[in-house]
Amino acid sequence: MALLDVTALTAGYGDTTVLSDVAITVEPGQVVSIIGPNGAGKSTLMKTVFGLLKPSKGTVAFEGRDITGWAPDRIVRLGLCYVPQVENTFPSLTVEENLEMGAFTLRGSKRERLERVYDMFPDLAAAKSRPAGKLSGGQQHMLALGLALMLSPRLVMMDEPTAGLSPKFASSALEQVRTLRAAGVAVLLVEQNAAAALQLSDWGYVLASGQNRFQDTGHALLDNPEVGSLYLGK
């Protein structure tokens, strides 16, 4: 059974349709990338899957359960988390307070999950008492991801994790995707650095004008001359 199965999804803003009959699938433990030009509907797709936008058509299923149009707080409880590009931490709270907020649905002690996040991201452990707003761009993204991991998700959706980061921190952000996969967590990734995203992906989708244009393994899309000339700058 697929972890995430999106079928014939049509969505947009007001009277403007951004996505039209889009279909994607994520299997357990996979890294799946969505690439395409600006305005292709990549972030809109993420928001619709996570319940921030209501589709006008189509279905979103998670582990076989139809969650189309569910509110984000219900979706999170199933094990599907979303890390947006901006406004993804609480700047005035410390790192540890942020992580505790990430586990808002949990009852009882959160210490075991805190330690798991600290083990995965030692930089956060070293900065646990610092306000999130004082962290570097790369550390803030790490913290946003840690927030999601406090709920032990089975799928994390990441929207443009390297946007605005220096090359050093951008590389670190993508390395975090490998860390998640090694921990058995599936990742659905929207990323501006399409070539780097496809290199670490099991499967990839190319969206254009709000529709599926190509899909294949990450390496096959990298080797596809048409994909390369249109979307990878080759």
Side-chain angles (χ1 to χ4, degrees):
M1 179 189 300
L3 190 60
L4 178 70
D5 192 11
V6 176
T7 306
L9 200 68
T10 298
Y13 305 88
D15 295 330
T16 303
T17 298
V18 177
L19 301 173
S20 182
D21 290 321
V22 169
I24 65 167
T25 300
V26 180
E27 300 291 343
Q30 276 191 330
V31 174
V32 175
S33 288
I34 304 171
I35 67 168
N38 291 337
K42 304 182 297 294
S43 292
T44 299
L45 174 57
M46 289 259 194
K47 292 174 182 177
T48 306
V49 169
F50 197 60
L52 296 170
L53 293 174
K54 305 296 184 185
S56 57
K57 177 187 171 187
T59 59
V60 177
F62 186 71
E63 294 189 317
R65 177 183 296 186
D66 188 343
I67 63 169
T68 311
W70 281 27
D73 62 313
R74 290 184 69 194
I75 291 173
V76 162
R77 288 180 173 89
L78 294 180
L80 195 167
C81 291
Y82 172 53
V83 181
Q85 180 180 344
V86 295
E87 298 181 353
N88 51 23
T89 62
F90 304 95
S92 64
L93 300 183
T94 67
V95 166
E96 187 146 312
E97 288 168 341
N98 266 270
L99 293 174
E100 289 173 343
M101 288 288 288
F104 69 98
T105 62
L106 299 179
R107 295 180 179 177
S109 174
K110 304 174 179 65
R111 178 52 50 185
E112 184 177 339
R113 299 197 187 196
L114 276 170
E115 294 305 325
R116 179 170 179 258
V117 171
Y118 288 149
D119 285 345
M120 292 179 72
F121 304 119
D123 281 4
L124 295 184
K128 65 174 67 174
S129 298
R130 294 185 63 193
K134 299 295 186 181
L135 301 178
S136 68
Q139 289 172 325
Q140 287 188 24
H141 179 266
M142 204 177 293
L143 177 57
L145 192 50
L147 277 161
L149 291 176
M150 285 295 290
L151 292 170
S152 297
R154 289 181 286 284
L155 172 61
V156 174
M157 301 193 300
M158 302 169 66
D159 192 359
E160 302 281 9
T162 69
L165 298 182
S166 68
K168 173 185 175 182
F169 286 127
S171 177
S172 175
L174 291 177
E175 187 60 35
Q176 292 162 23
V177 176
R178 295 186 176 91
T179 300
L180 290 178
R181 176 163 52 190
V185 180
V187 178
L188 180 60
L189 176 67
V190 166
E191 172 52 42
Q192 61 182 353
N193 187 339
L198 291 174
Q199 284 174 355
L200 57 83
S201 294
D202 301 292
W203 196 262
Y205 293 89
V206 181
L207 294 189
S209 301
Q211 297 180 308
N212 290 93
R213 180 72 186 274
F214 300 96
Q215 62 171 299
D216 211 326
T217 66
H219 288 293
L221 290 175
L222 281 171
D223 293 336
N224 184 315
E226 189 173 1
V227 173
S229 63
L230 289 174
Y231 307 108
L232 303 179
K234 292 184 178 180

